[in-house]
Amino acid sequence: MCVGCMCIRVDACACVCTLPRVPGVPSRCVGFGDAGAAGTPVPPVPVPERGAGELGGAGGGARRRGREAVPAPTDLQTFINSPAPAAAARHRARRSPVPAAARGERRHRGPARSCGRGRGAAAWARSLCPWIEVCGCRCRSQRDGDPRTPRRAARNALQPPGMADKCSEGLLNGAVPGERGKQDKSVRRGNWGNQIEFVLTSVGYAVGLGNVWRFPYLCYRNGGGAFMFPYFIMLVFCGIPLFFMELSFGQFASQGCLGVWRVSPMFKGVGYGMMVVSTYIGIYYNVVICIAFYYFFVSMTRVLPWTYCSNAWNTPDCVGVLDGNLSSHAAVNLTHLLNATQKRTSPSKEYWRRYVLNLSDDIGNLGEVRLPLLGCLGVSWVVVFLCLIKGVKSSGKVVYFTATFPYVVLTILFVRGITLEGALTGIMYYLTPQWDKILDAKVWGDAASQIFYSLGCAWGGLITMASYNKFHNNCYRDSIIISITNCATSVYAGFVIFSILGFMANHLGVDISKVADHGPGLAFVAYPEALTLLPISPLWSILFFFMLILLGLGTQFCLLETLVTAIVDEVGNEWIIRRKTFVTLGVAVAGFLLGIPLTTQAGIYWLLLMDNYAASFSLVIISCIMCVAIMYIYGHRNYFKDIEMMLGFPPPFFFQICWRFISPAIIFFILVFTVIQYRPISYNDYVYPTWAISIGFLMALSSVICIPIYAIYKVCRSEGDTLLERLKNATKASKDWGPALPEHRSGRYAPAFSPSTESNLEVQPLHPEKAQSEAAAASPVQGSNGLAHSQDSRL
């Protein structure tokens, strides 16, 4: 009796795994454990005849051949030494790039898909069923009780249940260890279509609105070109190392921001904190996108509505740079007015405050919902949902446009800007270094903060996007490319912004500091007003706001996917995976409803409150705890070995030093700097009341408080008689930590039971009792089918 039948690899048919196989044996027939089984007679398998015309032939085009019976081998040794039948040769020939005429062979007209096997091969495959029965298993065709010879039997006859569907899709992972047929992709979660999609998505995530409306302002305020020095120092010692850490963290485990904390379950609260931060940012970030949508739509006119002061919403203090009639200020020169104590109000500012927002006088006075903004908010969420309707499969295609076209618009605006009078003055104001500010700690703090927030560290998005990578993807290379691209985009955007602002300052005869601004003030007041001075101003306005929309959508895609992936991975069953689209829809609807208060008359107050508190020092704390948990709780040596297992080389020594010492120190410096430089929030002349600031602190603490709460919960639920034992068990990596695919679980992640690499194989014993008794008599390497299946399904 064959007690050690491991696996039969049939070149023309399929691979059949019954019991765990042993590496190093031939792939044709992996092995029959008991040599004494040779000579065991097996009755032949009758093969039904087929009518003429079933198989095509080349001899004169005659369709006269029926299916010939394929006799079963009489004993194991005969089968091992027998050559593959003609059907197998025809199958190999069909896959050969050499034409049939050049080979001198007839063309076989069987199914030609990658896992299709041809009808002759099916008959040969069924002839092997007796040997599987000897091992205590049965063929799928026999299990289904189908005595006929269906066309699909070629690939189904020898496959366990569920295996044929995987084979038909080309997703059979790890057929034989080290074989080329093994694929580095996750069937269950999905992967990026290619690495370009991942890089473009990460670039779109990192390059956002802050690169356009925050960095140029920080640069000129902190010494111009001198600010570049601390900025790039922080990029090298903090930005790129943290970026690489998060990408490698998510890629190794192929899990979202919650699932990765199997590395140290007590710190899973860090993942929940990331989810809370992403929720806050996703709510107000889409409101900014909806305002950009609104400006984009209203720019489709012959004259921009914020060009003149002759509209119903304008006040007597409004003075437009293109107004021909200045009756209320006839005796006042425009230049003198701009520099006088009586501050000028531009038409773009009044359009923003009095028409678009219809701003109320207090954050507690919500007023009415601005219906145009509400409609644009709905459009924004619909666009985000449609782009993510199939997860990374759909968003990976959209980013080919959303991540690249902003650079086209930036280039167009840059070329137009440098041709304007006064543009050079603005660029020099942007770049001229003030080296005395290098010694100012505030400059270094701003540089570190900008790098940290611009790259999107500790949001959970980097971990989520990397989790859809293939296991052996070079994320080290990707982290450097994406980080440098993000910073280069910030510098490039500064040229675009200050060339236009220089032209505006020259036109008005004032210093650039009078027109420079940041945040919403730059995007919706200063820059739109500068665009009114250009010929064909609606065209430039459409391009500018379309660029803002694309920059915002690139970040919003990742924020929403972070939440959806965390929910789906945490539940983890097949039911929710099949209904991931409905999860995405539910999150999008919730985000729309939570964003409605931000479209009221007091909405801008709440938006800035969330921007300043919900995603400020809480991100710094989360990132610092993540570094400590990975480097010192899980262990830096373990993590370096994981990266070497994934990439084929350990992380460079520079990154090892940064992860362990330099980056945590810089993060701590950012935290201290944020606390020292804290000032109560204000918007123009409005100072936020104490109760509003308290709400802001509660939002910030809501993400950080997840960490200690979950840690206490995990310690209480852990096993152990003493507190120290419970702490050790709570911080110890769980058993399912490691690569997601079984074929990647090697070394210390290899299954303790056997070296089998198949997963989710269902092989039903023909005689369960006999199979178990034979397994008990076998060597420890061999086991029963039931045990092998339970081990694989756990992985």
Side-chain angles (χ1 to χ4, degrees), residues 315-539:
T315 64
D317 294 331
C318 176
V319 178
V321 295
L322 296 180
D323 276 333
N325 183 18
L326 303 176
S327 57
S328 61
H329 300 279
V332 183
N333 182 269
L334 179 60
T335 304
H336 173 71
L337 178 64
L338 292 171
N339 296 316
T341 55
Q342 183 181 1
K343 191 173 182 180
R344 163 187 175 265
T345 303
S346 66
S348 61
K349 186 174 183 178
E350 291 197 350
Y351 180 77
W352 164 249
R353 293 173 59 92
R354 298 177 58 84
Y355 184 77
V356 177
L357 302 178
N358 194 10
L359 194 63
S360 64
D361 57 352
D362 185 72
I363 187 174
N365 182 15
L366 294 179
E368 63 180 7
V369 174
R370 301 291 296 151
L371 294 181
L373 295 183
L374 181 63
C376 291
L377 180 63
V379 171
S380 179
W381 275 111
V382 168
V383 170
V384 172
F385 168 71
L386 292 179
C387 292
L388 290 175
I389 192 169
K390 293 185 178 180
V392 296
K393 295 296 182 184
S394 56
S395 65
K397 305 300 182 291
V398 175
V399 294
Y400 280 104
F401 178 75
T402 60
T404 57
F405 193 74
Y407 292 95
V408 177
V409 178
L410 280 175
T411 303
I412 294 174
L413 294 176
F414 173 69
V415 173
R416 183 66 184 99
I418 60 175
T419 60
L420 299 173
E421 185 180 0
L424 184 61
T425 304
I427 293 175
M428 293 303 296
Y429 192 89
Y430 167 59
L431 290 180
T432 301
Q434 302 175 30
W435 297 110
D436 57 313
K437 291 190 175 183
I438 284 285
L439 302 178
D440 189 356
K442 186 176 183 305
V443 174
W444 289 84
D446 283 342
S449 300
Q450 177 62 18
I451 282 290
F452 184 82
Y453 297 125
S454 176
L455 291 175
C457 298
W459 290 14
L462 297 178
I463 295 176
T464 301
M465 295 301 104
S467 70
Y468 293 102
N469 277 336
K470 295 181 180 180
F471 182 73
H472 294 296
N473 170 63
N474 190 349
C475 58
Y476 167 67
R477 172 202 59 201
D478 295 341
S479 62
I480 296 177
I481 293 175
I482 298 168
S483 301
I484 294 178
T485 301
N486 171 73
C487 296
T489 304
S490 299
V491 176
Y492 186 42
F495 287 93
V496 177
I497 297 299
F498 274 89
S499 61
I500 298 293
L501 294 182
F503 163 69
M504 182 179 179
N506 179 76
H507 184 84
L508 298 176
V510 298
D511 189 75
I512 295 180
S513 60
K514 299 291 184 180
V515 297
D517 203 347
H518 70 287
L522 172 66
F524 303 117
V525 177
Y527 207 86
E529 183 178 12
L531 294 177
T532 60
L533 304 176
L534 301 177
I536 325 177
S537 55
L539 173 63

Side-chain angles (χ1 to χ4, degrees), residues 559-569 580 583-585 587:
L559 291 172
L560 185 61
E561 185 63 35
T562 298
L563 299 176
V564 173
T565 299
I567 295 172
V568 172
D569 287 349
K580 185 178 178 181
V583 178
T584 305
L585 177 61
V587 175

Side-chain angles (χ1 to χ4, degrees), residues 257-274:
C257 60
L258 291 180
V260 292
W261 289 105
R262 296 170 183 171
V263 67
S264 185
M266 192 180 78
F267 292 94
K268 192 175 182 179
V270 175
Y272 285 109
M274 291 178 176

Side-chain angles (χ1 to χ4, degrees), residues 8 41-45 72-73 76 124-137 139 142 158 766:
I8 301 175
V42 176
V45 179
L76 296 175
W124 182 55
R126 285 190 305 279
S127 72
L128 305 179
C129 290
W131 300 119
I132 301 178
E133 293 177 6
V134 171
C135 300
C137 303
C139 292
Q142 293 176 340
L158 291 176
L766 187 62

